[in-house]
Every structure is written in structure tokens, then in C-alpha cells.
Amino acid sequence: MSVVIFLLLRLAPGNIVDILFSTGGYVSDADKKLIMQELGLDKPVWAQYVEWIRNMATGDLGKSYRYDVPAWQVIKPLIPVTIELAVLSTIVAVLIGVPTGVISAVRQDTVFDYALRIFSLAGLSMPSFWLGMVIILALAAWLGWVPPMTYVGVREDFKIHAVQFLLPALAVGYRSSALITRITRSAMLEVLREDYVRTAWAKGQSEGAVVWRHALTNALLPVVTVIGIEFAFLIGGLVVTETVFNLPGVARFLVQAILWRDYPIVQTLVMFIAIVVVLSNLFVDLLYGWLDPRVRYSG
Amino acid sequence: MAIITHDVVIAAAPRRAGLVTTVLRFCRKKPLGAAGGALVMVMVLTAIFADQLATHDPIATDAAATLAPPGEAHWLGTDHLGRDIYSRIVHGTRVSLAVGLLSTLLGSVFGGMVGLVSAYFGGKTDLITQRVLDILQGLPLLVLALVMSAALGPSIENVVIAISIPIMPRAARVIRASVLSIREMQYIEAARALGLRHLRIAFRHVLPNTIGPFIVLTTAQLGSAILTEAALSFLGLGVPEPYPSWGRMLSVSAAEYAQKAPHLVLFPGIAISLAVFGSNLLGDALRDTLDPRLRGAQ
């Protein structure tokens, strides 16, 4: 994993020194060499890689070329913003996706079903950053009010903070809900034909109890899997959404770091994202055992 | 005479339904899929006849008519440089479709090859390939495309490559799964018994039978490829100037004027959404029709 990320970045044409000084006017070749040496960019690629891995093992993630401070120090304050946004988006996605999926399955092949499926497919088709822009525009047009586009901490003003996060979460969550809807629908369609559901009907239980308690709890397993998978897509979606809403998160910073060719930052961020994805998959696996007692991991 | 006619009928009986019949049947059974197909057709036609459909030069600036609202002179208004939005969207179809199609094809063909080799030979080859694919799949599509396009530098070719790379592992997975089951078929065993070489069996006997999943895969990926292109261009890492691209029309410079001129943001986004919506609808319907394992599951 680390090799791939590292090599991809070093293959890039252009380097930080050129970019740093392209705004600062002419810099002599001798000065350039000096700076390259200082940053360790004059060494062969494999030597740079070995050094990076060795440093990472000791907890040193390298220095940001641009800010001249340890990469971790730059990234650390950004993480809570992205995590908060990702969690909120997931909640929105589940809140939209699961009910639409269930209703779609219960009312299979009715106009209702078709409308909900088109609704969810439309979410999958709209770029979340565009949806975010449209939400902002709509607020401006109808309410004559736009949330401030500079980040407000949760302690400074809770209301503004909440709006700032809910809007992008809505844009990203709607998109993510599409897959959840689809999986919920197909899982529900299967479960609704099971014997125990018929038993529940025969017992004379209300439709709500049958659908939401007996059927949904049993249809949840594939849904949870897809929520885990969605998490990876979600972070991809955040890259652009954080930019639109000007939120100082990891994803927006990644774009800036890429544009700056700030290798230590990009490497650290991409590794961070990869680790989060792996962890979320692991979490889903563990959740299986809790949701479905039949799943046991001991050999 | 009658006997001859009879013979002809018997010979013609196993003939497959004609293209028109197939398309008509598809339209009747999958109205949503047909609507998606129609949207994709409109997109293809727009891309082909962009020069005829456009009312203005998509890159010509007009200082006298900046940020004009939609009207008679400019159907969908103009942007901050006075460029005609309608003409830019029409020409942008070319870029989006070309980038979307090429990257999807590149990704699926290369990924498919990897999947074919990996599944056909199995064993260690399979194991190593699968681990490499795991790594690539661990990253969100957009993040990978982002890093790739930054690493390769801005040009249309590089954007195509950058988007195709995250598609490869998915294609490899799908084709691998399909080859794994085909490999055990009797006709493959027969081919092997005839003493055919591996290469010939793989390409002549296995590959043609993966065409169903392959078509499903490419249509399904087309939408996300178009979306990725839009996102990359939006961030300024996609298709470079002067090509008009839907994603870049929405970029930060446009967002600044969004309050004054909402049409700047609305129309390109609608174009993206319709294009992706169409290919998603078509992809879904094709999957239901061509992939029997998923039939009814949706």
C-alpha cells in the first residue's frame, strides 16, 4: 500500500521547489539545489522511500514542505471536522436509505415503489458538490440567508456550526443513501417471503410490527455491509463537498496538498484515509457477530 | 416445393431474435431502462453533432455580455467571461462522454485482462493479484483518481488514465468471478482435451462468455466515470482549458458568481445529473436482463 502511494507521488512532474518559487520570482539554480538537498529530494527515490517508512515506524510522519512543521501537527486539527462530517452523512444516508428501501419493498411494483427508486437513483446521479451548491443557492433565494462560509467551531456558536455541518451532510448523505435503499429493498423482498414473517402475519400482528421488527431486523445484515462499503465512497465524496462548503477538513486539505506537491502531507493523508477505510470494514465485520448470533469468528 | 420451404423453416427456427425485436422487447419490459438508453442516445448524438447544435463558439468570450441571464440571444445565459453556457454544455458533452467512455473502456479492458489471467491460472498468480487489487480498492475512487491526476499532470489523456485506474480492480473482480465459473464448464474441459494452448482457450473460449458481465460492468461504471471527471475538473485537476467541461463550469470561479447568476451553477449540474442518471438507469436495466444471477434481486 505504502509503496504504491509513494511511487505514484514521486512520478509526478514538477516539484515543490519549483512551485514554491514560481510565485516568488527568479531563484538561482544553486539556491534550488540547496533547498532540494535540505528537503532530501536529491536522493534516489528508493532511498526516500526507505527513509519515509523508517520514520513512520518511529511515529515521525515527515515535515510539511510548505509549512515547515511536522505533518501530523498540520493534519491533527483537521481530523475531527472530517470525522464529524462523515458520521453525520452516514446518519443522514441511513435515515433516508433504510425507510425508503423498506417502503419500496413493501409496496413492490407500485407507483410508490417506482417513485422511490427514481428518487434514490437521482441521488446517485447528482454530483454531491453540485447538490451542495444548489442547497446554498436555494437557501439564499428562498430565505435570503446564507450560512457563513468560514468555519465556526462547535463551542463558538452551536447553531451556525450545526447548519454548516448538516447541509453538506445532507448533500453527501442523500447520495450515499441510494445504495442503502437498493440493498435494503432487495434484502427486505427476500425476507418478506420467509416463513417466520408469514407466521408473524398469521399471529395477527400489525403491519408495523411485522415489517419493522420481524422483517427489518433480519434484513439488516447486508445493509450493514453496504454501509461499511459506502463509508469509503463517502470520504471520496467529502473531498469535493468540504471544498464547496469551505470546511477545514482532511479531504479539502488533501486537494490543497496535492496541488502544492507537499508529499509528506499527501502521503500521510492518503494513508490515513486508507486506514480509516480498513478500520471501518473491520468494524462492520465485528458488527456481524453482534447483529447475527449465528456468525461466530472462533475456529 | 413445400418440402423445401419446410426445410428452410427448420433451419431458420433457432435463429435469434433480430436487433429491432430485442430492443422493442427491452423497451416494453424495462421502460425505465429504455428511458435511460434514450438519455444516453441523446448524449451521444449531442456529442457527435455538437458543432451543429451549438449557437455560439464555446470558447469565445464576450465582454459586452457577461453573466447575462437566460434569454433569446443566449438560451442558458453566459458566464463571467461572456461565454455562452448552452454552447459550452453542448460541447462539454463531447469531453464528458469521451473521457467517461474511454476511461471506462480502458479500466474494464485492462482490469478484465487481469481478472481473466488471475482466475484462469489460479493459485499463486490469483492470490498475489487479489492482494494488489485489495490495496487499490482500499482507497475511495475519487481519492485515487485525484492522486493519479495530480501525479500525471493535467491533460485529457492523463485524466482518462487517472479515472481508469480505480475502475480496474472492480472490473478485475467481476470478470474473475465470471471466469471462475466458466473455467469449470464442460466445453472448457473439451477444449483442453483437444490439446488447445492456454492462451487460445482463455481468449477464444473463456473470454467471449464473459461479455454479459462485461457490458453490465461498463454501463454501470460509465456514470461514476462521468461523475469523477466532473469532480476532478471541479477541483481544477481534470480536463484543462480550453476544452469546455461540465465539472469546470461549476468550479470555484463560477461559484463566486452563483448568487448573482444562478444559471451558471444550475445548468451544467443538470447536464451532469441527466447524463449520469441515464447511464445508471440503462446500466440497472441491462444488469437485470443480462446477468441472470442478479435477476430479480435489484
Side-chain angles (χ1 to χ4, degrees):
Chain A
M1 169 114 236
S2 56
V3 183
V4 177
I5 295 169
F6 193 85
L7 280 180
L8 287 182
L9 285 172
R10 295 307 145 123
L11 286 173
N15 65 50
I16 177 76
V17 182
D18 287 332
I19 294 174
L20 271 180
F21 289 108
S22 62
T23 43
Y26 178 76
V27 180
S28 74
D29 276 350
D31 280 351
K32 245 187 211 173
K33 274 210 184 93
L34 204 72
I35 296 161
M36 296 267 285
Q37 216 164 19
E38 204 177 300
L39 296 174
L41 286 173
D42 55 336
K43 287 181 219 150
V45 170
W46 64 268
Q48 290 182 34
Y49 174 70
V50 171
E51 204 177 297
W52 180 53
I53 290 292
R54 203 173 47 213
N55 286 338
M56 203 157 55
T58 58
D60 177 7
L61 296 172
K63 252 176 163 183
S64 160
Y65 293 161
R66 190 184 167 200
Y67 296 101
D68 201 28
V69 289
W72 177 241
Q73 209 173 312
V74 183
I75 294 166
K76 207 174 137 193
L78 310 173
I79 293 176
V81 175
T82 299
I83 298 279
E84 185 180 346
L85 200 53
V87 170
L88 269 177
S89 310
T90 309
I91 293 174
V92 170
V94 173
L95 284 182
I96 299 177
V98 172
T100 46
V102 170
I103 296 170
S104 202
V106 174
R107 305 260 176 277
Q108 193 193 0
D109 289 332
T110 60
V111 182
F112 218 57
D113 178 25
Y114 271 93
L116 283 179
R117 277 159 72 190
I118 289 176
F119 168 79
S120 88
L121 206 58
L124 201 62
S125 309
M126 283 191 272
S128 54
F129 62 92
W130 178 68
L131 195 61
M133 288 167 136
V134 172
I135 291 177
I136 296 178
L137 275 180
L139 280 181
W142 291 330
L143 301 177
W145 176 80
V146 180
M149 279 297 133
T150 45
Y151 173 70
V152 177
V154 67
R155 279 185 207 86
E156 287 167 61
D157 188 332
F158 180 75
K159 250 193 206 152
I160 293 178
H161 178 85
V163 171
Q164 271 183 338
F165 275 80
L166 274 177
L167 293 182
L170 205 64
V172 178
Y174 176 34
R175 183 175 157 61
S176 299
S177 73
L179 206 58
I180 298 181
T181 303
R182 177 176 299 180
I183 300 294
T184 311
R185 182 176 179 274
S186 65
M188 280 297 283
L189 282 178
E190 239 168 69
V191 171
L192 282 174
R193 292 191 176 80
E194 297 279 346
D195 286 342
Y196 53 80
V197 171
R198 197 178 311 133
T199 311
W201 283 118
K203 277 198 298 184
Q205 290 202 314
S206 68
E207 182 177 0
V210 175
V211 171
W212 298 96
R213 201 162 62 231
H214 293 267
L216 183 61
T217 40
N218 284 293
L220 223 49
L221 208 58
V223 178
V224 169
T225 319
V226 96
I227 294 172
I229 297 170
E230 270 295 279
F231 203 74
F233 289 95
L234 208 109
I235 292 183
L238 290 183
V239 171
V240 253
T241 315
E242 279 182 4
T243 308
V244 171
F245 287 88
N246 202 24
L247 290 172
V250 174
R252 187 185 68 144
F253 196 66
L254 174 68
V255 179
Q256 289 167 345
I258 287 175
L259 290 172
W260 277 92
R261 301 270 184 279
D262 200 339
Y263 299 138
I265 296 274
V266 177
Q267 282 161 4
T268 314
L269 283 180
V270 175
M271 282 300 275
F272 169 76
I273 292 172
I275 289 168
V276 168
V277 171
V278 170
L279 282 182
S280 68
N281 286 343
L282 180 72
F283 179 67
V284 167
D285 278 349
L286 292 177
L287 214 56
Y288 279 170
W290 182 68
L291 277 174
D292 187 345
R294 283 169 299 181
V295 180
R296 281 282 165 264
Y297 287 103
S298 55
Chain B
M1 198 58 199
I3 298 165
I4 292 169
T5 321
H6 189 64
D7 273 351
V8 169
V9 169
I10 287 177
R15 195 190 57 171
R16 298 170 76 179
L19 185 67
V20 180
T21 331
T22 315
V23 170
L24 280 180
R25 190 181 302 153
F26 180 75
C27 289
R28 202 177 53 237
K29 279 187 141 174
K30 299 270 168 203
L32 282 182
L39 273 175
V40 173
M41 277 307 288
V42 169
M43 194 176 160
V44 171
L45 290 176
T46 312
I48 294 173
F49 297 109
D51 291 322
Q52 284 74 38
L53 284 168
T55 51
H56 294 72
D57 181 351
I59 18 186
T61 56
D62 181 1
T66 57
L67 295 178
E72 219 157 275
H74 299 281
W75 293 350
L76 300 181
T78 59
D79 67 3
H80 58 291
L81 295 173
R83 295 176 294 196
D84 185 55
I85 303 263
Y86 167 73
S87 306
R88 282 178 74 72
I89 288 181
V90 166
H91 276 273
T93 314
R94 248 183 212 179
V95 176
S96 291
L97 194 67
V99 171
L101 272 179
L102 284 177
S103 53
T104 312
L105 278 181
L106 191 72
S108 339
V109 167
F110 269 87
M113 290 293 171
V114 171
L116 175 70
V117 170
S118 169
Y120 185 80
F121 291 105
K124 260 191 195 130
T125 324
D126 193 31
L127 201 72
I128 294 171
T129 337
Q130 288 309 305
R131 290 298 80 75
V132 174
L133 293 180
D134 277 343
I135 292 171
L136 280 176
Q137 271 203 318
L139 284 173
L141 192 148
L142 186 59
V143 171
L144 197 53
L146 201 64
V147 172
M148 282 312 298
S149 74
L152 294 166
S155 79
I156 286 210
E157 296 85 0
N158 288 342
V159 171
V160 169
I161 296 173
I163 299 175
S164 74
I165 286 173
I167 293 177
M168 277 182 211
R170 299 168 184 212
R173 285 272 150 80
V174 172
I175 300 299
R176 175 177 176 270
S178 145
V179 170
L180 278 180
S181 65
I182 293 172
R183 203 180 56 164
E184 307 302 326
M185 295 281 173
Q186 279 190 336
Y187 57 84
I188 300 300
E189 205 177 313
R192 211 168 285 147
L194 281 171
L196 296 184
R197 279 172 299 125
H198 280 312
L199 217 61
R200 191 177 160 82
I201 298 177
F203 281 88
R204 288 281 301 160
H205 299 270
V206 179
L207 199 61
N209 287 299
T210 59
I211 193 75
F214 186 81
I215 291 175
V216 172
L217 175 88
T218 38
T219 352
Q221 290 299 321
L222 180 63
S224 67
I226 293 174
L227 271 184
T228 311
E229 187 271 322
L232 284 180
S233 300
F234 167 78
L235 292 170
L237 286 162
V239 179
E241 298 273 8
Y243 304 103
S245 143
W246 294 342
R248 205 169 11 120
M249 291 173 78
L250 292 170
S251 69
V252 186
S253 61
E256 276 170 28
Y257 300 97
Q259 299 287 339
K260 244 190 297 174
H263 61 269
L264 226 62
V265 168
L266 280 181
F267 296 123
I270 292 174
I272 299 174
S273 306
L274 279 180
V276 180
F277 191 57
S279 44
N280 280 347
L281 279 178
L282 183 65
D284 274 10
L286 280 181
R287 190 196 51 206
D288 291 349
T289 318
L290 291 176
D291 204 340
R293 275 167 305 160
L294 290 165
R295 192 168 288 163
Q298 293 236 343

